[in-house]
Amino acid sequence: MSAQILEKLQRFHEEAAQVIEQVEALERLQEVKAQFLGKKSELTEILKTLGALTPDLRKEIGETANRIKGLIGAIEKEREKNLKQAKIAR
């Protein structure tokens, strides 16, 4: 089960990174951020299931999920910075 969840997290991370990198407008970036990091996101749903796991799995999956959440947040911030710079350059 843990391998499936970890694979799901990895796919989620890859998809989020790809979608964020393709965003061309700040307004759309906020929508994408909510899609991947919001209360109804797939990541939040995975985090909600941690309570049903054994302590070892909970730790492993929780750490991975939080790391991915941080990575997605960093990608989003970088994209936001790039979009703002491009807007200023126009």
Side-chain angles (χ1 to χ4, degrees):
M1 176 162 172
S2 67
Q4 292 170 332
I5 296 172
L6 292 172
E7 285 177 24
K8 191 173 186 178
L9 285 169
Q10 184 60 38
R11 283 192 311 271
F12 177 82
H13 174 243
E14 291 168 1
E15 177 187 358
Q18 183 179 28
V19 170
I20 290 169
E21 289 298 326
Q22 293 175 355
V23 170
E24 296 293 331
L26 287 169
E27 298 79 19
R28 175 71 180 127
L29 185 61
Q30 294 306 311
E31 294 170 8
V32 169
K33 180 181 177 183
Q35 175 186 347
F36 288 104
L37 297 177
K39 291 180 184 179
K40 296 181 181 181
S41 71
E42 186 177 354
L43 183 61
T44 299
E45 293 302 315
I46 291 171
L47 291 172
K48 287 179 182 178
T49 67
L50 291 181
L53 302 174
T54 65
D56 290 341
L57 285 177
R58 189 177 318 139
K59 182 178 185 228
E60 178 185 6
I61 292 171
E63 286 175 354
T64 301
N66 285 324
R67 180 179 54 79
I68 287 172
K69 186 175 183 177
L71 290 171
I72 292 170
I75 293 167
E76 182 270 330
K77 290 288 184 204
E78 183 67 23
R79 186 66 182 144
E80 180 180 25
K81 184 178 92 172
N82 292 340
L83 288 172
K84 285 180 178 178
Q85 287 175 345
K87 190 174 184 177
I88 292 170
R90 289 185 200 162

